[in-house]
Amino acid sequence: MAYRIAVTEVTLYGPLRCVAGFDLDREVMVRPEPAPAKFWEARVCGANTTFHPGHVVSFLGERPPTALPHNTEDVVVSGVPRRTGVLADYAFKRTLTRAEAFSPVRVFGEHLRFDGDKAYVPAGAPCGSLACQTVDGAQVTLFEQVYKDEHRLRAGLSIGGHVLHLSVAAKTLKQAFEKDGLAAAQALVPREGRVHVRLGLARPFDAAPDRCYLQVNGLHAL
């Protein structure tokens, strides 16, 4: 099946990258993958390569037998994905506005569970794994959390009346934080106007095999 997406987010998983985008023809969210539940190499993710927010990418793909909730958007790419265009700023913002239909309420519904300042969806839940929320820039905060001598970037955001402190997977924010510290990441958050917050579920991991935790996949000024 042929796909044409506008890339909305690129996230970091060690040296690898996860990509998601808005299907411009079907108006659904799509997660292109090189293999079922696998990530892309860094060389194809960046402003001068294939996958980067605002890039239009075309590819052939098939739905894989991955587990829910991620299976809702997973598509395994056949062959080589092609960057066919780069959206102008206004066109990218218009695409993000179209994607606003995929709110946490619509995507996760009753499956979204709150646990203190975290949120998750049970593994296998019949819902989606990619959502978004548009808020005033001042309502998004970034801060540093130290856990077992490891410094981690976190985002403060209110969802469904719950104040959450979410892990930040967004490539641009994490790279700024890891290279130049918290202030560098904070400088990338628009402080005025509306901000489109990309939200995604992490796949289950060994310490939490039955939970898909909510994380911030990207921030875009509208």
Side-chain angles (χ1 to χ4, degrees), residues 118-199:
K118 302 291 186 290
Y120 68 93
V121 167
C127 64
S129 65
L130 294 169
C132 65
Q133 180 165 295
T134 298
V135 300
D136 290 334
Q139 294 178 307
V140 181
T141 60
L142 294 182
F143 62 95
E144 185 174 352
Q145 183 182 70
V146 181
Y147 178 74
K148 294 183 178 180
D149 297 326
E150 182 179 352
H151 293 256
R152 299 177 177 180
L153 183 63
R154 294 289 184 265
L157 182 68
S158 179
I159 296 178
H162 296 260
V163 177
L164 303 177
H165 294 160
L166 302 179
S167 174
V168 177
K171 174 178 176 286
T172 302
L173 295 175
K174 283 192 71 173
Q175 287 181 331
F177 175 72
E178 292 170 356
K179 180 181 179 182
D180 297 312
L182 179 61
Q186 290 174 328
L188 299 176
V189 181
R191 305 316 310 168
E192 298 180 355
R194 298 190 305 152
V195 175
H196 181 93
V197 183
R198 298 297 317 165
L199 299 166

Side-chain angles (χ1 to χ4, degrees), residues 147-148 152 203-213:
Y147 178 74
K148 294 183 178 180
R152 299 177 177 180
R203 295 185 191 269
F205 54 97
D206 291 343
D210 58 346
R211 295 183 176 188
C212 301
Y213 278 98

